[in-house]
Amino acid sequence: MIQLQEVSKIYEMGSDKVYALDHASMEIQRGEFVSIVGPSGSGKSTMMNIIGCLDTADEGNYVLDGMSVEQYSERELAKIRNRKIGFIFQNFNLLPRLTAEENVELPLIYQRISAQERKRRVCKALEQVELSNRRGHLPAQLSGGQQQRVAIARALVTMPSLFLADEPTGNLDTRTGQEIMGLFHELHAAGNTIVLITHDNQVAGEAERKIHIRDGKVREEERY
């Protein structure tokens, strides 16, 4: 499903070139649960942005579902981000003036889904994350764990083929983080592809396999 072939991302710092990603190669098959783990500044966020089609590589090739991302137009890339990839972020990225239900519904409005279908999907997604009884609450009225559940429901509702989670437990206490990881295991058991980006080796160890990144270089995966 995902192939990175000698991918580099280079930033100019005066006369120097800094490799955020340095000829990184890896493959992720459909239905896998993979973690990308590394310390701060290792290149994790850059890799997430490239996998999520939020940024493009300076060198190498990124193949998504058998097609090089370079061959997609900007409109097609926007459609991929909205329909094919479910993003889950450390800071939740919920709109503060919208209720949990409205936050989950938002991507479906962008997709121009009918109101009746939106309601059905939102109800189902909130049930999956066990938040039906908080549907009318604003983000400020929810705990951190509940906000992350809303964010997961928002990703679920578009029925993506790939979940891309960036430090999804980073702002949560240990117990709540474990509950959120339990949700990811349920998503994986249902056949979803999950790429989880983290600095925490313990969190990374819950995936089927780990890909290590340091100084922009990818190390051979460890299989479990």
Coordinates of all heavy atoms in Angstrom, one line a residue, residues 167-224:
E167 N 1.7 10.8 17.3 CA 1.7 10.9 18.8 C 0.4 10.9 19.4 O 0.0 11.8 20.2 CB 2.5 12.2 19.2 CG 4.0 12.2 18.7 CD 4.9 11.4 19.5 OE1 4.5 10.7 20.4 OE2 6.1 11.5 19.2
P168 N -0.5 10.0 19.1 CA -1.9 10.0 19.5 C -2.1 9.9 21.0 O -3.2 10.3 21.6 CB -2.6 8.8 18.8 CG -1.5 7.9 18.6 CD -0.2 8.7 18.3
T169 N -1.1 9.4 21.8 CA -1.2 9.3 23.2 C -0.3 10.3 23.9 O -0.2 10.3 25.1 CB -0.8 7.9 23.7 OG1 0.6 7.7 23.3 CG2 -1.6 6.8 23.0
G170 N 0.3 11.2 23.1 CA 1.4 12.1 23.7 C 0.9 13.1 24.8 O 1.6 13.5 25.7
N171 N -0.4 13.5 24.7 CA -1.0 14.5 25.7 C -1.9 13.8 26.7 O -2.6 14.5 27.4 CB -1.8 15.6 24.9 CG -0.8 16.6 24.3 OD1 0.3 16.7 24.7 ND2 -1.4 17.3 23.3
L172 N -1.8 12.5 26.8 CA -2.7 11.7 27.6 C -1.9 11.0 28.8 O -0.8 10.7 28.6 CB -3.4 10.7 26.8 CG -4.2 11.2 25.6 CD1 -4.8 10.0 24.8 CD2 -5.3 12.2 26.0
D173 N -2.6 10.8 29.9 CA -2.0 10.1 31.0 C -1.9 8.6 30.6 O -2.5 8.2 29.6 CB -2.8 10.2 32.3 CG -4.2 9.7 32.2 OD1 -4.4 8.5 32.0 OD2 -5.2 10.5 32.3
T174 N -1.2 7.8 31.3 CA -0.9 6.4 31.0 C -2.1 5.6 30.8 O -2.3 4.9 29.7 CB 0.0 5.8 32.0 OG1 1.2 6.5 32.2 CG2 0.4 4.3 31.6
R175 N -3.1 5.7 31.7 CA -4.3 4.9 31.6 C -5.1 5.2 30.4 O -5.6 4.4 29.6 CB -5.1 5.0 32.9 CG -6.4 4.2 32.9 CD -7.2 4.4 34.1 NE -8.5 3.8 34.1 CZ -9.4 3.8 35.0 NH1 -9.2 4.5 36.1 NH2 -10.6 3.2 34.9
T176 N -5.3 6.5 30.2 CA -6.1 7.0 29.0 C -5.4 6.6 27.7 O -6.0 6.2 26.7 CB -6.3 8.5 29.1 OG1 -6.9 8.8 30.3 CG2 -7.3 9.0 28.0
G177 N -4.0 6.7 27.7 CA -3.3 6.3 26.5 C -3.5 4.9 26.2 O -3.6 4.5 25.0
Q178 N -3.5 4.0 27.2 CA -3.8 2.6 27.0 C -5.1 2.4 26.4 O -5.3 1.5 25.5 CB -3.6 1.8 28.3 CG -2.1 1.7 28.8 CD -2.0 1.2 30.2 OE1 -3.0 1.1 30.9 NE2 -0.8 0.8 30.5
E179 N -6.1 3.1 26.9 CA -7.5 3.0 26.3 C -7.5 3.4 24.8 O -8.1 2.7 24.0 CB -8.4 3.9 27.1 CG -8.7 3.4 28.5 CD -9.6 4.4 29.3 OE1 -9.9 5.5 28.7 OE2 -9.9 4.1 30.5
I180 N -6.8 4.4 24.5 CA -6.7 4.9 23.1 C -6.0 3.8 22.2 O -6.4 3.5 21.1 CB -6.0 6.2 23.0 CG1 -6.9 7.3 23.7 CG2 -5.8 6.6 21.5 CD1 -8.3 7.5 23.1
M181 N -4.9 3.2 22.8 CA -4.2 2.2 22.0 C -5.2 1.0 21.8 O -5.1 0.3 20.8 CB -3.0 1.8 22.8 CG -1.8 2.8 22.7 SD -1.4 3.3 21.0 CE -0.9 1.8 20.3
G182 N -6.0 0.7 22.8 CA -7.0 -0.4 22.7 C -7.9 -0.1 21.5 O -8.3 -1.1 20.7
L183 N -8.3 1.2 21.3 CA -9.1 1.5 20.1 C -8.4 1.2 18.8 O -9.0 0.7 17.8 CB -9.5 3.0 20.2 CG -10.8 3.3 20.9 CD1 -10.9 4.9 21.0 CD2 -12.0 2.7 20.3
F184 N -7.1 1.5 18.8 CA -6.3 1.3 17.6 C -6.2 -0.2 17.3 O -6.3 -0.7 16.1 CB -4.9 1.9 17.7 CG -4.8 3.3 17.5 CD1 -4.5 4.2 18.5 CD2 -5.2 3.9 16.2 CE1 -4.4 5.6 18.3 CE2 -5.2 5.2 16.0 CZ -4.8 6.1 17.0
H185 N -6.1 -1.0 18.4 CA -6.1 -2.5 18.2 C -7.4 -3.0 17.6 O -7.4 -3.9 16.8 CB -5.8 -3.2 19.5 CG -4.3 -3.1 19.9 ND1 -3.3 -3.7 19.1 CD2 -3.7 -2.5 21.0 CE1 -2.1 -3.4 19.7 NE2 -2.4 -2.7 20.8
E186 N -8.5 -2.4 18.0 CA -9.8 -2.7 17.5 C -9.9 -2.4 16.0 O -10.5 -3.1 15.2 CB -10.9 -2.0 18.3 CG -11.1 -2.6 19.7 CD -12.1 -1.8 20.5 OE1 -12.9 -1.0 19.9 OE2 -12.1 -1.9 21.8
L187 N -9.4 -1.2 15.7 CA -9.5 -0.8 14.3 C -8.6 -1.7 13.4 O -9.0 -2.1 12.3 CB -8.9 0.7 14.2 CG -9.8 1.8 14.7 CD1 -9.0 3.1 14.7 CD2 -11.1 1.9 13.9
H188 N -7.5 -2.1 13.9 CA -6.6 -3.0 13.2 C -7.3 -4.4 13.0 O -7.2 -5.0 11.9 CB -5.3 -3.2 13.9 CG -4.3 -4.1 13.3 ND1 -3.7 -5.2 13.9 CD2 -3.9 -4.2 12.0 CE1 -3.0 -5.8 13.1 NE2 -3.1 -5.3 11.9
A189 N -7.9 -4.9 14.1 CA -8.6 -6.2 14.0 C -9.7 -6.2 13.0 O -10.0 -7.2 12.4 CB -9.1 -6.5 15.4
A190 N -10.3 -5.0 12.7 CA -11.3 -4.8 11.8 C -10.8 -4.8 10.3 O -11.6 -4.6 9.4 CB -12.2 -3.6 12.1
G191 N -9.4 -4.8 10.2 CA -8.8 -4.9 8.9 C -8.2 -3.6 8.4 O -7.8 -3.5 7.2
N192 N -8.2 -2.6 9.3 CA -7.6 -1.3 8.8 C -6.1 -1.2 8.9 O -5.5 -1.9 9.7 CB -8.2 -0.2 9.8 CG -9.7 0.0 9.6 OD1 -10.1 0.5 8.6 ND2 -10.4 -0.3 10.6
T193 N -5.6 -0.4 8.0 CA -4.1 -0.2 8.0 C -3.8 1.0 8.9 O -4.5 2.1 8.8 CB -3.7 0.2 6.5 OG1 -4.1 -0.8 5.6 CG2 -2.1 0.3 6.5
I194 N -2.9 0.8 9.8 CA -2.6 1.9 10.8 C -1.1 2.2 10.8 O -0.3 1.3 10.9 CB -3.0 1.5 12.2 CG1 -4.6 1.3 12.2 CG2 -2.6 2.6 13.2 CD1 -5.1 0.7 13.5
V195 N -0.7 3.4 10.6 CA 0.7 3.9 10.8 C 0.7 4.9 12.0 O 0.0 5.9 11.9 CB 1.2 4.6 9.5 CG1 2.6 5.1 9.8 CG2 1.1 3.6 8.3
L196 N 1.4 4.5 13.0 CA 1.4 5.2 14.3 C 2.8 5.8 14.4 O 3.8 5.1 14.4 CB 1.0 4.3 15.4 CG 0.9 5.0 16.8 CD1 -0.2 4.2 17.6 CD2 2.2 5.1 17.6
I197 N 2.9 7.1 14.6 CA 4.2 7.8 14.7 C 4.4 8.2 16.2 O 3.5 8.9 16.8 CB 4.3 9.0 13.8 CG1 4.3 8.4 12.3 CG2 5.5 9.8 14.0 CD1 4.0 9.4 11.3
T198 N 5.5 7.8 16.8 CA 5.7 8.1 18.2 C 7.2 8.2 18.6 O 8.0 7.6 17.9 CB 5.0 7.0 19.1 OG1 5.1 7.3 20.5 CG2 5.5 5.6 18.8
H199 N 7.4 8.8 19.7 CA 8.8 8.8 20.3 C 8.9 7.8 21.4 O 10.0 7.5 21.9 CB 9.2 10.2 20.9 CG 8.4 10.5 22.1 ND1 7.1 11.0 22.1 CD2 8.7 10.4 23.4 CE1 6.7 11.1 23.3 NE2 7.6 10.8 24.2
D200 N 7.7 7.2 21.8 CA 7.7 6.3 22.9 C 7.8 4.8 22.5 O 6.9 4.3 21.8 CB 6.3 6.5 23.6 CG 6.1 5.8 24.9 OD1 6.7 4.7 25.1 OD2 5.5 6.3 25.8
N201 N 8.9 4.2 22.9 CA 9.2 2.8 22.5 C 8.1 1.9 23.0 O 7.8 0.9 22.3 CB 10.5 2.4 23.0 CG 11.6 2.3 21.9 OD1 11.4 1.7 20.9 ND2 12.7 3.1 22.1
Q202 N 7.5 2.1 24.2 CA 6.5 1.2 24.7 C 5.2 1.3 23.9 O 4.6 0.3 23.6 CB 6.2 1.6 26.2 CG 5.2 0.7 26.8 CD 5.1 1.0 28.3 OE1 5.8 1.7 28.9 NE2 4.1 0.3 29.0
V203 N 4.8 2.5 23.5 CA 3.7 2.6 22.6 C 4.0 2.0 21.2 O 3.1 1.3 20.7 CB 3.3 4.1 22.4 CG1 2.3 4.3 21.3 CG2 2.8 4.7 23.7
A204 N 5.2 2.2 20.7 CA 5.6 1.7 19.4 C 5.5 0.2 19.4 O 5.2 -0.5 18.4 CB 6.9 2.2 19.0
G205 N 5.9 -0.4 20.6 CA 5.9 -1.9 20.7 C 4.6 -2.6 20.6 O 4.5 -3.8 20.4
E206 N 3.5 -1.8 20.7 CA 2.2 -2.4 20.5 C 1.8 -2.7 19.1 O 0.8 -3.4 18.8 CB 1.1 -1.5 21.2 CG 1.3 -1.4 22.7 CD 0.0 -1.0 23.4 OE1 -1.1 -1.4 22.9 OE2 0.1 -0.3 24.4
A207 N 2.5 -2.1 18.1 CA 2.3 -2.4 16.7 C 2.8 -3.7 16.3 O 3.6 -4.4 17.0 CB 2.9 -1.3 15.9
E208 N 2.4 -4.2 15.1 CA 2.9 -5.5 14.6 C 4.4 -5.4 14.4 O 5.1 -6.4 14.6 CB 2.2 -5.8 13.3 CG 0.8 -6.4 13.4 CD 0.3 -6.7 12.0 OE1 0.4 -5.9 11.1 OE2 -0.3 -7.8 11.9
R209 N 4.9 -4.3 13.9 CA 6.3 -4.1 13.7 C 6.7 -2.7 13.8 O 5.8 -1.8 13.7 CB 6.7 -4.7 12.3 CG 6.2 -4.0 11.1 CD 6.6 -4.7 9.9 NE 6.0 -4.2 8.7 CZ 6.6 -3.3 7.8 NH1 7.9 -3.0 8.1 NH2 6.0 -2.9 6.7
K210 N 7.9 -2.4 14.1 CA 8.5 -1.1 14.4 C 9.4 -0.7 13.2 O 10.3 -1.5 12.8 CB 9.2 -1.0 15.7 CG 8.3 -1.1 16.9 CD 9.0 -0.6 18.2 CE 10.0 -1.6 18.7 NZ 10.5 -1.3 20.0
I211 N 9.3 0.5 12.8 CA 10.3 1.1 11.9 C 11.0 2.2 12.7 O 10.4 3.1 13.2 CB 9.7 1.6 10.6 CG1 9.0 0.5 9.8 CG2 10.7 2.4 9.8 CD1 8.2 0.9 8.7
H212 N 12.3 2.1 12.8 CA 13.1 3.1 13.5 C 13.6 4.2 12.6 O 14.1 3.9 11.5 CB 14.3 2.4 14.2 CG 13.8 1.4 15.3 ND1 13.8 1.8 16.6 CD2 13.4 0.2 15.2 CE1 13.3 0.7 17.3 NE2 13.1 -0.2 16.5
I213 N 13.6 5.4 13.1 CA 14.1 6.5 12.3 C 15.0 7.4 13.2 O 14.6 7.7 14.3 CB 13.0 7.3 11.6 CG1 13.6 8.4 10.7 CG2 12.0 7.9 12.6 CD1 12.5 9.1 9.8
R214 N 16.1 7.7 12.7 CA 17.1 8.6 13.5 C 17.9 9.4 12.5 O 18.4 8.9 11.5 CB 18.0 7.8 14.4 CG 18.9 8.7 15.2 CD 19.8 7.8 16.1 NE 19.1 7.2 17.2 CZ 18.8 7.8 18.4 NH1 19.3 9.0 18.6 NH2 18.2 7.2 19.3
D215 N 17.9 10.7 12.7 CA 18.7 11.6 11.8 C 18.2 11.4 10.3 O 19.1 11.5 9.4 CB 20.2 11.4 11.9 CG 20.7 11.7 13.3 OD1 20.1 12.6 14.0 OD2 21.6 11.0 13.8
G216 N 16.9 11.2 10.1 CA 16.4 11.1 8.8 C 16.6 9.7 8.1 O 16.2 9.5 7.0
K217 N 17.3 8.8 8.8 CA 17.6 7.5 8.2 C 16.7 6.4 8.8 O 16.5 6.4 10.1 CB 19.1 7.2 8.5 CG 20.1 8.0 7.7 CD 21.5 7.6 8.0 CE 22.5 8.5 7.2 NZ 22.4 8.3 5.8
V218 N 16.2 5.6 8.0 CA 15.3 4.5 8.4 C 16.1 3.2 8.7 O 17.0 2.9 7.8 CB 14.2 4.2 7.4 CG1 13.5 3.0 7.7 CG2 13.3 5.4 7.3
R219 N 15.9 2.6 9.8 CA 16.6 1.3 10.1 C 15.6 0.2 9.8 O 14.4 0.3 9.9 CB 17.0 1.3 11.6 CG 18.1 0.4 11.9 CD 18.5 0.6 13.3 NE 17.7 -0.3 14.2 CZ 17.5 0.0 15.5 NH1 18.0 1.0 16.0 NH2 16.8 -0.9 16.2
E220 N 16.2 -1.0 9.5 CA 15.5 -2.2 9.2 C 14.4 -2.5 10.3 O 14.7 -2.3 11.5 CB 16.4 -3.4 9.1 CG 15.8 -4.7 8.6 CD 15.3 -4.6 7.2 OE1 15.8 -3.8 6.4 OE2 14.3 -5.4 6.9
E221 N 13.2 -2.8 9.9 CA 12.2 -3.1 10.8 C 12.5 -4.3 11.7 O 13.2 -5.2 11.3 CB 10.8 -3.4 10.1 CG 10.5 -2.4 9.0 CD 10.9 -2.8 7.6 OE1 10.6 -3.9 7.3 OE2 11.5 -2.0 6.9
E222 N 11.9 -4.2 12.9 CA 12.0 -5.4 13.8 C 10.6 -6.0 13.8 O 9.6 -5.4 14.1 CB 12.3 -5.0 15.2 CG 13.7 -4.3 15.3 CD 14.0 -3.8 16.7 OE1 13.2 -4.1 17.6 OE2 15.0 -3.1 16.9
R223 N 10.5 -7.3 13.5 CA 9.2 -8.0 13.4 C 8.9 -8.7 14.7 O 9.8 -9.2 15.4 CB 9.2 -9.0 12.3 CG 9.3 -8.3 10.9 CD 9.1 -9.3 9.8 NE 9.2 -8.6 8.5 CZ 8.2 -8.0 7.9 NH1 7.0 -8.0 8.5 NH2 8.3 -7.4 6.8
Y224 N 7.6 -8.7 15.1 CA 7.2 -9.4 16.3 C 6.1 -10.4 16.1 O 5.4 -10.2 15.1 CB 6.6 -8.3 17.3 CG 7.7 -7.3 17.7 CD1 8.0 -6.1 17.0 CD2 8.5 -7.6 18.8 CE1 9.0 -5.3 17.4 CE2 9.5 -6.7 19.2 CZ 9.7 -5.6 18.5 OH 10.7 -4.7 18.9

